[in-house]
Amino acid sequence: MTTPGTFIRLLRTVFYMTLALISIAAFISIGMFFVAVQDLPRVPEPLRRIIETPPTEIYAATGERLMVIGGREVVPLSKVSTHFIQAVLATEDHRFWEHHGVDKLRTLKALWVTLFEPGRIEGASTITQQLSKNLFFSFKRSYMRKFRELLVALQIESQYSKREILEAYINQIPMGVGAHGIEQASQAFFGKQALELTLAESALLAGLPKSPTRYNPYLHYDRARERQRVVLSRMAAVGYITRAQADSASRDALNLRRPPSGALTGSYFLDMVVRSLEERYGPDVIYHGGLKVTTTLDPQLQTWAVESLQEGLARLEKMLGVYEQAKHGAFREVIRPQGALVGIETNSGAVKAMVGGRNYGETEYNRAVQNNRLPGSGFKPFLYYTAFEKLGMNPATVFLDRPVTVPVIGAEDWTPENFGLKHEGPMILKKALVRSVNSVAAQLVERTGPEEVIRTARRCGIKSHLEPVYSLALGTSGVSPLEMASSFATFANGGIRHGPFWIWRVEDALGRVLEEHIVSGERSLDASIVYQVVDLMRGVVDEGTGSVIRRLGFDLPAAGKTGTTDGYYDAWFTGFTPTLSTSVWVGYDQGEGLRDIQGRGITGGRGAAPIWANFMIKATQGEPPREFAIPPDIRFETVNPVTGRAANESTPNPMRIALREGQSLYSDTLEDEIPYNSETETSQVAR
Amino acid sequence: MDWSEPRNVKEWARRAIALRPLVLVLLIFAILISELRFDWLEQALGSYLVTTNTKRPESGAIWELGHRTITARQTLEQLITDRQSSQREARGATTFTQIASNLPPGQGVMLSSEHFRELYLTLPQGIAHKIVSSFELLRLFSNGRWVRTYLENEDYGFKIYLLNSENRVLRELRIPSDLLHQIRRVEIALEGTLEDMPTFENRVYPADRFFRAMESLPEEDLRSVISHPERLLGMPGRIVRVGISDEAVSGYIELGFEIDDGTRRRVILLPGREWAVWSLRSFLEEKGQESNHAPSSQGNETQK
């Protein structure tokens, strides 16, 4: 066969094969079209109708809006900065005004790059295709999904004007930090309306849709600025702006708004609120129904709570030597201590401030509510109340601080140790609580029984599981800071218990009330006995294990109790004024005790009480000193803290104690000084 | 026409540049260029899809969102409707019994302090006093802090919170089930006659004899026997007989007033102060002995 003949035959074969391939492709396309069209989603009329959903708005008690969940508010193109529209068009689809849903030249280019430039994949989706994908399709990659997305885009182009399409697009694009659409993004990042955006701001925001997390300016500022420069460069290339304008805008400082409280400071609290709402109304109502929720949060107190905890944790880290480790380049690997703080209004139970950890962005685990940690001696006020109520004891009852072993049926004897491993001999109960003496607490719980102590704790509002063992008196059953703050509020409130709550009122979008909280207290403890315990706890703050609070400058009447657990795993301080009860916990999330660089353990007084003081100084600033209400049957005596007898001028370190009607001092049986004898039976002294 | 394979390139070129293939190529190019320029294929497909739009399913992310919004709105609307309907019924209620019968367990309604006061005033003194003293209410009402009242239907009866403008409880009251039952008995006219109530056995008197005996009591004691004569006056029909219970509860004795409205008989129960009722009974017994037989409007209206 001749060469031309072969050539012609080859050419013919190629021609027929191409024809066949085109036919097959055409048949497949037609087949795919009919398959895809069968369950193609319906496009709504008008397009903006289904983008609009009412938001659930969460407000602080002061009326400040804290958070918006869901909800899309459509802004017309006329209310959006031209810079932003141009930036979006330049970056996402510069031939938007020319094509009919598909940019064929760009598609061919993308196909070429994908096929012939290994390792590179270029997208060619137009704004209409992106809108189609965002509105109707999942992000699962498949050819059929892509094809259907294309068909819907074609329909959208036929059904709506370019302005309507662009408006729908910019109102629904996810922009990060929970913002959907340009108006929400503009408010979230710059605290202004979309119409007011400058060129630099517009370019920054227009760069976000590619990857809202990756280019989040709060988390990755430099990367976001780099993306902004790319957008500006595209705008210049397309001709919307000059190169000089692009350069100038890329140098402009960005006045980013502080991260919204919804993303950081209030989030532990807001998480709790949202969870409660979900339990009551179900997720659909919360995310799509549009509620108006008024919470109990006081934003100012919340800010101070966050600041106090963060400052306290920074100080704690210094003590622990975390910064020393950081200097050696190991900061990221170092486990940092955590903390929690809850502030509750005593006469209502309203949670005014709550911080569940050092940084919500790092961990969403709410240690203020979900973390059941051992309260240590912080539990003793329940024990002392029980002893006063059930055994008729009073703050001047004398006990011996001595080594104690409590036999436990079916288990090993319980031998609690004092914090300093020393014993001081006889002392009144007030001194025992002020100094947090464990041996006296052990003797008390042996007499009251753990069940009675649990009953008292329950009456105060502790809901966590409490193990009925003697060591309960020293706080060996886990409780949350919320429970501690709430139960101590019962003491602050003279024995009237208000359950903690965080939602004042829930309304629908039209303002119709769904629920409102009623502040109802219940007398759960005897007012006079409560006052006696409060008086003991005042001693803790004024001269005991929590006296750091006074040294730090908190001078209002206050009562509280420190708590430290074995191994220094937990450090607590829970205290209150007549109006505000606050609990602070610090510790590691897992497996490590708090020890400073010298190896000394960090107690509640060192770790948590300064945070409490810092917060309470700010939270009560400007408040006049207000005393705890004294029940009419209470009288005061000044006694010898060793003998419990009335003090005279020569008595060293006398203590003022509160007695109820019918209670008297032990002046008739005890000598002024009882020499310490560890063999002495407690029963000879205490009665 | 028979087709033969071109024998050489010249032949092949001659055939390729002929009119027909050129027209064909030009046609193909024209189609391609016009598509690139005018997007007619996309427009045709788009237009076709617009015509089928209404027949297609409401599926996809945004429709799901829309459906969820609709479900959420319906749920909210139901909650609001239930609440508003309880609230509306409570606002229209003139007695505690009406509120109790319309309020499902576990739910509550908010009333104004004035409305609660009106409801309270409909109660016989004895029962009202068991809920809260009228002096206490007066005190709360006069200091202006009591603005609303929340009534909650609980397992054991009613819980009532007298609230200030901040929703803080000024006073918490309870109406236990037995007291509520008592209120019901007082507020509702019971169908039947006094014979149906064993508590009045042997203590049923004709109405005229009863009221004649009432005349013997000093004026200031009359309200102690019948605390709410307005309630009896407001009933359609005529009182034909009066029964006195044989049981005193917390200083009160129940009186049963049998009313005949021409078509049926009903009994209204009202509590009277124990001492006043006893004093009335002694007059009734005396009158009974004097007249020995009282006139009656019906055959069975004699003392049993």
Side-chain angles (χ1 to χ4, degrees), chain A residues 359-372:
Chain A
N359 186 340
Y360 184 79
E362 285 173 12
T363 150
E364 294 178 12
Y365 180 61
N366 190 344
R367 292 156 194 84
V369 181
Q370 296 163 291
N371 213 20
N372 273 24

Side-chain angles (χ1 to χ4, degrees), chain B:
Chain B
M1 187 177 70
D2 290 338
W3 184 83
S4 61
E5 189 182 329
R7 296 284 170 193
N8 52 49
V9 176
K10 196 176 168 187
E11 173 70 11
W12 180 82
R14 191 180 60 78
R15 286 199 200 175
I17 304 168
L19 183 66
R20 247 187 336 187
L22 279 177
V23 168
L24 188 69
V25 168
L26 281 174
L27 195 68
I28 290 169
F29 269 95
I31 289 170
L32 284 176
I33 288 167
S34 69
E35 156 56 21
L36 278 175
R37 175 70 185 81
F38 299 110
D39 299 331
W40 51 263
L41 182 62
E42 291 97 311
Q43 290 193 38
L45 285 173
S47 301
Y48 168 73
L49 289 171
V50 171
T51 64
T52 63
N53 192 45
T54 52
K55 292 170 196 148
R56 298 207 305 265
E58 292 182 351
S59 62
I62 201 76
W63 282 111
E64 277 165 31
L65 191 71
H67 293 150
R68 283 179 165 196
T69 304
I70 290 165
T71 311
R73 281 182 182 158
Q74 284 169 345
T75 309
L76 269 179
E77 206 52 48
Q78 188 59 50
L79 287 170
I80 295 280
T81 308
D82 289 350
R83 195 182 143 88
Q84 283 187 335
S85 119
S86 302
Q87 203 66 44
R88 213 175 9 253
E89 279 163 1
R91 282 202 195 106
T94 51
T95 62
F96 276 110
T97 312
Q98 283 174 8
I99 294 182
S101 55
N102 291 326
L103 196 60
Q107 280 199 23
V109 285
M110 195 69 86
L111 304 175
S112 67
S113 57
E114 288 82 6
H115 190 186
F116 179 80
R117 192 178 54 162
E118 283 163 18
L119 293 175
Y120 178 83
L121 288 175
T122 62
L123 294 174
Q125 209 180 354
I127 290 177
H129 196 79
K130 282 182 191 171
I131 299 170
V132 61
S133 114
S134 42
F135 292 108
E136 173 71 0
L137 273 194
L138 195 61
R139 186 183 67 75
L140 288 165
F141 204 71
S142 62
N143 71 18
R145 289 168 58 210
W146 173 29
V147 290
R148 298 200 295 173
T149 309
Y150 188 70
L151 275 82
E152 200 172 15
N153 191 358
E154 295 196 337
D155 293 341
Y156 56 80
F158 260 122
K159 211 174 199 179
I160 300 168
Y161 302 98
L162 310 187
L163 307 169
N164 68 7
S165 56
E166 293 173 330
N167 263 12
R168 287 176 191 268
V169 176
L170 300 170
R171 186 87 155 77
E172 191 178 316
L173 313 172
R174 278 162 198 265
I175 306 182
S177 312
D178 55 339
L179 190 60
L180 201 59
H181 180 64
Q182 228 174 312
I183 293 172
R184 270 198 200 105
R185 281 165 64 87
V186 170
E187 287 180 340
I188 294 172
L190 305 166
E191 294 289 336
T193 65
L194 289 168
E195 277 73 30
D196 302 334
M197 300 172 189
T199 181
F200 299 115
E201 200 175 357
N202 300 326
R203 288 185 178 81
V204 177
Y205 306 94
D208 52 354
R209 185 170 152 201
F210 178 86
F211 287 107
R212 259 204 318 277
M214 285 277 283
E215 285 169 14
S216 316
L217 290 178
E219 184 70 23
E220 61 271 23
D221 291 353
L222 294 178
R223 282 256 174 199
S224 299
V225 178
I226 304 175
S227 59
H228 266 63
E230 298 81 6
R231 179 157 160 68
L232 296 172
L233 279 171
M235 294 299 295
R238 188 173 63 87
I239 299 172
V240 288
R241 296 191 302 162
V242 181
I244 297 177
S245 168
D246 58 357
E247 202 180 334
V249 180
S250 309
Y252 287 87
I253 290 179
E254 207 165 55
L255 301 175
F257 296 85
E258 190 176 310
I259 295 173
D260 182 9
D261 65 1
T263 56
R264 58 185 174 160
R265 291 212 169 192
R266 286 181 297 167
V267 175
I268 286 183
L269 302 171
L270 289 177
R273 290 240 177 230
E274 190 181 357
W275 56 268
V277 176
W278 275 116
S279 142
L280 178 76
R281 267 204 71 195
S282 63
F283 281 114
L284 273 169
E285 300 304 329
E286 280 169 24
K287 297 272 177 196
Q289 279 165 10
E290 280 167 19
S291 59
N292 207 16
H293 190 78
S296 62
S297 55
Q298 287 198 10
N300 61 347
E301 284 154 13
T302 53
Q303 184 186 350
K304 293 186 178 177

Side-chain angles (χ1 to χ4, degrees), chain A residues 456-468:
Chain A
T456 302
R458 296 268 181 256
R459 283 156 71 191
C460 291
I462 299 281
K463 288 192 161 49
S464 293
H465 173 73
L466 300 172
E467 205 63 49

